[in-house]
Amino acid sequence: MKEVRNYQVIVVGAGHAGCEAALASARLGADTLLLTMNLSTIALMPCNPSIGGPGKGHLVREIGALGGEMAACIDETCVQMKWLNTSKGPAVRSRRAQADKYLYRQRMTRTLFNTPNLTLRQGHVTEILVKEGRVSGVKLETGLEFECERLIVTSGTYLNSRIILGRATWPGGPQNQSPALGLSESLVKCGVSLRRLQTATPPRILKSSVDFSKLGELPGDPDSGGFLWENRLRRYERQISCFLAFTDEESVAAVRRNLSESPLMLENITNVGPKHCPSIDRKIMRFPDQIKHQIFVEPEGWESQELYLQGLTTGMPPAAQQEIVRSVKGLENAIIMRYGYAIEYDALAPGLIRKTMESRALKGLYTAGQINGTSGYEEAAAQGLIAGINAALAIKGQPSYWPSRTNSYMGVLVDDLSIWQKPEPYRITPGHAEFRLTLRDDSAERRLTRDGYLIGMVDEERFSRINAWTTRIEDELARLNDLSLFPSGEMREKLVSSGTGDLKKRVSGCEILQRPGISYNDVKALLADEKDDWLMAPDEIYSLETEIKYRGYFERESEKIAQTKFLESIRLPLAKVDERLASLSPHIAEFLLSDQFDDLNQLVRKNCLSRSDLAILLTVLRQDSEEVVGDPEVLND
C-alpha cells in the first residue's frame, strides 16, 4: 500500500499548541498530519505541572467554550483544583489546577489518535519546502518529504535549543530531549527573522525526603468545578495538597555564595527571559533587600514521587542547587531527583505574525506557542487553537477568524502578540485586558460558544445545551428587572437589618439586588410566596448577581467596547488611501497601506495616530459605515 505523503494541513510539534492546532484542523474536516520528534512526549509538561491562574485560567475556560481540548483534558487528569483571588472580585477570579502530568499526556495522546482526519507520525522536520512564494510541504532529516497546503509550526522551546547548567552547556530540549536542528536555518532562508530567548525550570525533589510539618498546607477546593462548561459544578473530593515554604536569610546567603556560577553572571546565556517567573538567582540580584520569597511545593501526579519547587527556578550547577534547596526549612534533607536547568532557544522576531497566527513573511505558514515569544501552556494552547481553525478555514476558502479583544482573553492574546515589541516573552495577565470585568471566567460560553458553533468546533447538541443555560440567566435578569416590588414592613425591616438602608418606594428586583450585602437568595426570601419560581443553579446565580451588581461598570465599558469593535472592523492594509484622507500626514498613509498592522485599533493602541488624524479618519469611515461610534477623543484616553 502506497504511503500517503500529501496532506492539507501539517502541524510540526505536539506540545500544547500543536495538539490544539492538529485537533482543530482535523475536527473542521482538513486532512491533517501531526509530526513530532517523539511520540512518547506528546503534551509534555516539562515545567510547572499546573494549568490555570489569573488570565491563564480565563484562557483555558475560553478554549473549552470555543471547542478546544485543554479544558476537558485538565479537568479529567488533575490532582488538585482550586479557586484563586476569590476575595478580589469577579474580574480576576480564576481556577488553577495541578495536573497529573503523566495522565494528562496519556489523555491527550488518546484523543489525538482517536480523532478522524488526523494522522500522527514521529519525525524530525529540518526544512520547510516552498513553491512559488508559499509553503508547499516539509522535509524530514531522513529525507522523507510531505506536501501540504498549510503548515503550522509549534516547536516550543526546542528550536535550535541548548541546555545550560552553570558553566556546562550542550544541545538539548526540555527534559534533555533532542533539540530541533535545521529548522531555524530553513525559516531564516524563507525570510522569517529569529531571536534568542531563554527560560528555566527548578529542581525536582523526592517526596519522602521532605519534612511537611515545617511547611504550610495548601489544599484544593472540592466545590471549585472544572474549566469545561460541562464540569462547572463538578466536585473534586479526592485531591492532593500543595505546600508553601519560604526562603530566609540562610537561603539568600546560599544563593549569593553561588552567584558566580549563575549563567546570568557567567553570561553564557541570553538575558532575555520570562518577566513573571524569574529564577531565584535573578530574584536575589534584582531585589537584594528582599529575604522572604515564596516556594510552592507541588505534586506532579497521583503516583509520582517527584515534587516541583515553584519559585526556585535556576540554571546554577548541581552543587549550588543542593545547597540552596537544603537551606529552606522543611527541605533540609531534600534529595534532588532532577536538577533545574536553563534553556535557550530560537523564537520569531517581533511583528511577524498576524492575529490569525499566519506569518507576515511566508504565505501558508502559521506559528503558535513559544516560537511566537510566549510563555506558558495556556497561551500556547490558545494560539494553537486559533492557528488550527484558520488553517482549516483557509483550506475551505472561508474567511479567517480571530476573536476580538473586547470579547475574550484569546482576543487580547492574539492582538497583543501581533504587535508585541518588548524583549521578554509574553504572558497573559488580567492587566492586559482593559475589559476584564466583561471577560470574566463565568461568561466565557456566553461570549464564545456561538463563534465555536458557527465555525464548526461546537456541535449542535452542545450548543443547544449551553444556549439554554445562557438563556436562563438572561431570562432571569429580565424578570428581575421587570419585577416591581412594593416595600412591605417586613421587607423594609430586613433591608435595614442588612445595613443597606430603608426602602420607601416601589423598586425592581434588580435595584434591590444591587444593594451591597444583598444576595439573590435574600431577594428570594423577601418574596417567600414566589420563591418556588426561583430555581437557579449556583453558577447561574453567581453570573446573575455579578451582572446586576456591576451593571454600572458594564454600562461605562459598553461605549469603549463599541468603539474598539468598530476600529477592529477596519482591516488593514487598506487597498488604497481614499482621496478624502489626503490631509493625513504621509507616514499615516504608509501605516494604512502597510502589512504591519491587522486593523485600525492596533494603530490607535500603538499611538501611531494623532487625535486630529484619528478624527479625520473616523469622519471618513463613518461616512462609509452604518455603525455609530462615540467621541473620537475617548479613543486616545
Side-chain angles (χ1 to χ4, degrees):
M1 184 175 179
K2 186 177 179 181
E3 182 180 26
V4 176
R5 297 188 183 178
N6 188 294
Y7 295 86
Q8 292 177 306
V9 176
I10 292 178
V11 180
V12 178
H16 302 281
C19 289
E20 293 289 352
L23 286 170
S25 172
R27 286 169 174 171
L28 291 177
D31 191 14
T32 305
L33 172 65
L34 176 57
L35 286 166
T36 175
M37 291 195 296
N38 190 343
L39 285 170
S40 299
T41 57
I42 288 171
L44 184 69
M45 290 185 176
C47 199
N48 198 340
S50 69
I51 286 177
K56 291 173 173 283
H58 293 78
L59 280 180
V60 180
R61 180 80 184 249
E62 291 176 357
I63 288 169
L66 195 59
E69 194 63 28
M70 175 175 271
C73 194
I74 186 58
D75 282 355
E76 293 181 23
T77 61
C78 67
V79 299
Q80 186 190 94
M81 185 78 76
K82 69 184 304 178
W83 280 110
L84 301 180
N85 294 336
T86 54
S87 64
K88 295 184 179 180
V92 294
R93 185 173 183 254
S94 62
R95 291 179 180 86
R96 184 175 188 266
Q98 290 296 133
D100 183 315
K101 59 195 299 183
Y102 309 101
L103 291 180
Y104 186 96
R105 196 165 70 229
Q106 293 170 13
R107 162 65 167 74
M108 188 64 79
T109 301
R110 186 167 62 250
T111 300
L112 292 166
F113 274 107
N114 289 317
T115 298
N117 306 316
L118 181 56
T119 301
L120 278 75
R121 290 286 302 271
Q122 182 166 298
H124 179 185
V125 174
T126 58
E127 185 178 349
I128 296 173
L129 304 178
V130 178
K131 184 182 294 184
E132 297 178 356
R134 65 176 307 113
V135 165
S136 63
V138 296
K139 184 176 182 179
L140 277 56
E141 64 178 352
T142 58
L144 197 62
E145 294 184 3
F146 293 96
E147 296 180 357
C148 66
E149 298 175 51
R150 297 293 187 278
L151 173 65
I152 306 174
V153 176
T154 64
S155 53
T157 59
Y158 290 85
L159 200 60
N160 202 22
S161 59
R162 66 184 184 100
I163 294 173
I164 299 97
L165 195 58
R167 296 177 185 273
T169 180
W170 63 93
Q175 290 193 358
N176 216 19
Q177 299 291 313
S178 299
L181 303 176
L183 188 54
S184 289
E185 291 76 11
S186 182
L187 285 165
V188 172
K189 185 178 178 181
C190 292
V192 180
S193 300
L194 302 176
R195 56 175 166 160
R196 293 293 275 179
L197 296 177
Q198 62 103 336
T199 188
T201 190
R204 273 71 156 180
I205 60 174
L206 182 64
K207 182 178 180 181
S208 60
S209 67
V210 175
D211 185 352
F212 290 101
S213 67
K214 297 181 180 180
L215 308 181
E217 186 173 6
L218 302 172
D221 301 328
D223 294 315
S224 60
F227 287 99
L228 194 68
W229 178 83
E230 286 81 354
N231 299 329
R232 68 199 184 282
L233 301 178
R234 181 175 178 173
R235 279 187 60 82
Y236 289 90
E237 300 286 0
R238 179 175 174 240
Q239 301 196 40
I240 303 177
S241 290
C242 296
F243 290 84
L244 180 61
F246 293 94
T247 59
D248 57 16
E249 289 85 353
E250 186 179 346
S251 308
V252 173
V255 175
R256 286 176 177 154
R257 281 194 297 271
N258 290 280
L259 275 179
S260 61
E261 296 300 307
S262 166
L264 296 172
M265 296 296 289
L266 294 170
E267 297 184 341
N268 60 348
I269 190 172
T270 177
N271 197 35
V272 183
K275 178 181 178 181
H276 294 277
C277 51
S279 63
I280 187 65
D281 31 329
R282 190 186 292 271
K283 288 178 187 177
I284 301 305
M285 293 164 63
R286 186 182 297 172
F287 308 107
D289 297 328
Q290 187 169 337
I291 302 300
K292 199 173 183 180
H293 297 276
Q294 290 182 324
I295 302 168
F296 294 94
V297 183
E298 303 174 339
E300 296 208 335
W302 293 109
E303 305 298 330
S304 175
Q305 296 304 305
E306 291 182 87
L307 296 174
Y308 184 93
L309 301 181
Q310 175 70 13
L312 272 186
T313 296
T314 185
M316 287 194 276
Q321 293 190 36
Q322 187 75 65
E323 183 181 353
I324 294 166
V325 168
R326 291 192 171 183
S327 70
V328 178
K329 287 182 173 58
L331 309 183
E332 294 92 344
N333 299 307
I335 296 173
I336 296 179
M337 300 181 71
R338 305 189 202 210
Y339 290 101
Y341 58 89
I343 189 167
E344 188 178 272
Y345 58 96
D346 285 344
L348 299 190
L352 292 183
I353 53 173
R354 306 180 192 278
K355 289 187 181 183
T356 59
M357 299 292 102
E358 186 174 14
S359 170
R360 297 187 191 275
L362 179 61
K363 293 181 179 179
L365 172 66
Y366 297 76
T367 53
Q370 288 183 275
I371 187 176
N372 285 344
T374 59
S375 65
Y377 309 139
E378 304 87 350
E379 290 93 337
Q383 293 171 67
L385 178 59
I386 299 299
I389 286 172
N390 281 302
L393 291 177
I395 296 294
K396 295 179 178 182
Q398 296 179 3
S400 57
Y401 168 79
W402 65 74
S404 166
R405 68 182 297 115
T406 67
N407 81 337
S408 66
Y409 273 82
M410 281 196 289
V412 172
L413 173 67
V414 299
D415 189 40
D416 284 350
L417 275 183
S418 64
I419 55 174
W420 184 254
Q421 294 293 334
K422 295 181 181 179
E424 73 272 6
Y426 179 93
R427 176 182 178 180
I428 194 74
T429 68
H432 286 100
E434 59 267 46
F435 308 117
R436 52 188 169 274
L437 188 56
T438 298
L439 309 185
R440 306 183 316 277
D441 171 275
D442 64 282
S443 67
E445 290 76 24
R446 295 163 69 187
R447 293 181 275 111
L448 288 172
T449 299
R450 182 173 180 80
D451 285 0
Y453 173 68
L454 294 175
I455 291 168
M457 291 293 295
V458 175
D459 63 30
E460 183 79 41
E461 180 187 1
R462 184 172 191 240
F463 177 65
S464 295
R465 285 187 284 116
I466 293 177
N467 192 51
W469 172 76
T470 59
T471 299
R472 280 197 304 275
I473 296 172
E474 289 162 2
D475 286 350
E476 188 66 0
L477 278 167
R479 185 168 90 101
L480 284 173
N481 201 53
D482 293 340
L483 187 63
S484 180
L485 305 175
F486 187 79
S488 65
E490 182 181 0
M491 182 188 296
R492 291 171 62 182
E493 288 178 9
K494 288 182 178 180
L495 290 172
V496 171
S497 64
S498 71
T500 64
D502 198 358
L503 185 62
K504 299 180 181 180
K505 64 178 181 179
R506 186 173 290 276
V507 293
S508 71
C510 286
E511 287 176 295
I512 294 180
L513 191 49
Q514 278 183 306
R515 291 189 169 211
I518 298 296
S519 69
Y520 179 79
N521 289 328
D522 290 332
V523 178
K524 283 174 61 177
L526 294 173
L527 299 164
D529 57 326
E530 295 187 36
K531 65 182 177 183
D532 290 340
D533 296 331
W534 301 52
L535 301 176
M536 298 283 284
D539 64 309
E540 295 170 347
I541 291 174
Y542 177 81
S543 290
L544 183 81
E545 289 180 342
T546 303
E547 291 287 341
I548 291 174
K549 290 185 178 297
Y550 291 86
R551 179 170 287 182
Y553 294 98
F554 294 136
E555 289 173 353
R556 286 197 288 273
E557 274 192 353
S558 63
E559 183 179 354
K560 181 68 174 178
I561 287 174
Q563 294 165 346
T564 301
K565 281 183 176 179
F566 175 76
L567 292 175
E568 286 181 334
S569 72
I570 309 301
R571 302 289 177 88
L572 300 179
L574 299 179
K576 64 177 182 178
V577 175
D578 194 292
E579 59 183 13
R580 292 171 293 174
L581 300 175
S583 59
L584 294 178
S585 58
H587 78 278
I588 298 300
E590 290 178 10
F591 280 135
L592 296 174
L593 294 173
S594 77
D595 199 31
Q596 185 178 350
F597 299 98
D598 292 313
D599 58 51
L600 187 58
N601 189 56
Q602 291 188 334
L603 274 178
V604 173
R605 290 181 57 228
K606 296 294 286 186
N607 297 315
C608 295
L609 295 171
S610 67
R611 289 173 180 262
S612 58
D613 285 333
L614 182 59
I616 294 169
L617 191 53
L618 287 179
T619 299
V620 172
L621 294 175
R622 283 197 190 99
Q623 294 172 359
D624 299 332
S625 172
E626 295 179 358
E627 292 193 51
V628 177
V629 187
D631 186 351
E633 289 291 311
V634 181
L635 296 173
N636 275 341
D637 284 355

